[in-house]
Amino acid sequence: MNEHAICLNCAHWDLANAVQLPVYQQGKLVFHREYAPCKVNAVEADAGDCLPMMGERGHCRFHEDAFRPAADFLAFEHEAEHENDGLPVMQLDPGALKRVSHVAA
């Protein structure tokens, strides 16, 4: 499965209904993290009557066909693929150049 196929990049991650939920470690509250439900419930939940909430790094590896790239993710990928279009071959990107202070010898 593609490492980019996570809930954060999926159109089914219901970010409009995201909530901050507590995260516990060894019985103590450590921090809160944003979780949201999956609109197509592409999760393996066998706990009975429950609502699975997915974090941004969650995935649906057992339901890979349910993953749909979100529009924002597709736009980001497109920009990354074409960021150097139009630059001549073997030319440095002027945006990557930094000023260097001169030091007297």
Side-chain angles (χ1 to χ4, degrees):
M1 184 171 184
N2 184 339
E3 69 271 4
H4 297 295
I6 58 175
C7 293
L8 176 66
N9 299 330
C10 185
H12 298 307
W13 197 46
D14 192 6
L15 194 54
N17 290 305
V19 294
Q20 295 287 324
L21 294 176
V23 177
Y24 293 91
Q25 290 179 354
Q26 299 177 356
K28 294 183 181 180
L29 177 64
V30 180
F31 53 86
H32 287 78
R33 185 177 290 160
E34 190 169 54
Y35 288 88
C38 177
K39 293 177 187 175
V40 295
N41 206 25
V43 295
E44 295 292 329
D46 59 356
D49 190 19
C50 67
L51 173 64
M53 299 294 279
M54 305 300 295
E56 64 183 29
R57 303 287 310 165
H59 53 78
C60 52
R61 80 177 96 180
F62 299 112
H63 300 274
E64 289 183 41
D65 56 330
F67 178 80
R68 295 287 177 267
D72 290 343
F73 174 68
L74 292 174
F76 177 78
E77 287 288 300
H78 178 78
E79 289 295 320
E81 289 175 10
H82 299 286
E83 71 179 339
N84 288 323
D85 287 359
L87 291 177
V89 177
M90 298 300 290
Q91 178 178 334
L92 294 175
D93 183 353
L97 299 176
K98 296 180 182 176
R99 290 185 170 189
V100 178
S101 60
H102 297 285
V103 178

